[in-house]
Amino acid sequence: GAVVSQHPSRVICKSGTSVKIECRSLDFQATTMFWYRQFPKQSLMLMATSNEGSKATYEQGVEKDKFLINHASLTLSTLTVTSAHPEDSSFYICSARDSSGENEQFFGPGTRLTVL
Amino acid sequence: DAKTTQPTSMDCAEGRAANLPCNHSTISGNEYVYWYRQIHSQGPQYIIHGLKNNETNEMASLIITEDRKSSTLILPHATLRDTAVYYCIVRVGRTGANSKLTFGKGITLSVRP
């Protein structure tokens, strides 16, 4: 299957700082990427859908000014958690939809964010 | 709203077949059945998907009932590395707002030695 990478895999930051997470599709073009969040022992919750060259669509209850998403190219989307707080500590996972074929979604390995 | 229901957990012996059931009684005609799995602290991994015919690939087989209201994922020879949470998801196959993957709680498969 296609490969999606995330960077960093793990990040620890102080409360009030901003953290940027990158998501890349390595061997395919992705016009659409998705950002999920997963708290311990819970399922993945979709945060937003990111379309290349346009604004992201956020799910209900997700603050767009806090979770900034940029999808500037067909292979890269970034999620910036602004003014992070301890409650933002979570496992953030991106996925990318292969624009060809049957539009399958492939997931990155996730980023573990810990806010102190 | 959950569109699929799965048991919370199950286990099987290593080397035996693991049959993971899923109910999707409200599935629409244009919705596919997808299976993903998530090994602890990793991103979900695509396994297989189907519309109405049974499907098989190198990882698993997917059996969909004729009325499409339920399906079974079969791992023919489970190994310890197959221990994971398995998610059954119904989704419109093509692009559009309705083609998002919405994860439920999944079923935790534990493969015992």
Side-chain angles (χ1 to χ4, degrees):
Chain A
V3 179
V4 176
S5 70
Q6 280 184 243
H7 178 80
S9 59
R10 187 181 296 268
V11 58
I12 301 173
C13 70
K14 293 182 179 180
S15 187
T17 61
S18 294
V19 175
K20 179 184 284 188
I21 303 170
E22 292 186 349
C23 176
R24 294 182 185 272
S25 57
L26 298 186
D27 50 2
F28 66 99
Q29 293 188 330
T31 54
T32 305
M33 291 185 172
F34 304 86
W35 287 96
Y36 293 80
R37 180 168 53 182
Q38 186 175 33
F39 292 109
K41 299 189 184 301
Q42 295 187 23
S43 189
L44 286 79
M45 295 297 295
L46 180 65
M47 299 174 67
T49 302
S50 166
N51 292 299
E52 186 264 338
S54 63
K55 291 183 179 180
T57 302
Y58 291 81
E59 295 298 303
Q60 190 173 9
V62 178
E63 300 175 57
K64 63 180 181 180
D65 294 329
K66 180 167 181 64
F67 299 99
L68 302 178
I69 292 172
N70 184 284
H71 190 162
S73 78
L74 288 173
T75 60
L76 172 65
S77 176
T78 61
L79 168 69
T80 301
V81 182
T82 63
S83 186
H85 289 95
E87 57 265 30
D88 297 324
S89 298
S90 188
F91 193 49
Y92 291 87
I93 306 168
C94 76
S95 73
R97 177 182 286 153
D98 190 342
S99 305
S100 62
E102 295 189 5
N103 288 287
E104 298 317 317
Q105 259 182 256
F106 300 95
F107 286 80
T111 297
R112 177 77 58 192
L113 170 63
T114 302
V115 184
L116 302 177
Chain B
D1 293 339
K3 301 191 75 172
T4 66
T5 55
Q6 301 176 254
T8 303
S9 63
M10 67 176 294
D11 63 11
C12 75
E14 189 177 19
R16 304 297 295 269
N19 298 307
L20 285 68
C22 180
N23 287 321
H24 31 80
S25 58
T26 60
I27 191 170
S28 301
N30 62 346
E31 287 181 317
Y32 289 68
V33 179
Y34 283 79
W35 283 84
Y36 283 79
R37 73 179 183 184
Q38 186 179 25
I39 296 170
H40 183 62
S41 294
Q42 296 183 24
Q45 177 189 21
Y46 166 81
I47 300 174
I48 200 168
H49 76 282
L51 182 61
K52 51 185 177 182
N53 296 324
N54 297 337
E55 302 288 344
T56 295
N57 63 21
E58 64 278 6
M59 289 184 69
S61 294
L62 174 61
I63 308 298
I64 303 174
T65 58
E66 193 168 340
D67 63 8
R68 303 212 319 127
K69 293 185 177 182
S70 65
S71 60
T72 301
L73 179 74
I74 301 173
L75 307 179
H77 305 287
T79 70
L80 298 179
R81 288 179 294 180
D82 291 323
T83 293
V85 179
Y86 287 76
Y87 297 98
C88 170
I89 303 169
V90 296
R91 193 200 95 173
V92 173
R94 292 291 170 177
T95 57
N98 294 328
S99 64
K100 295 182 291 188
L101 284 175
T102 301
F103 287 79
K105 296 183 178 179
I107 178 173
T108 300
L109 173 66
S110 300
V111 181
R112 61 180 187 275

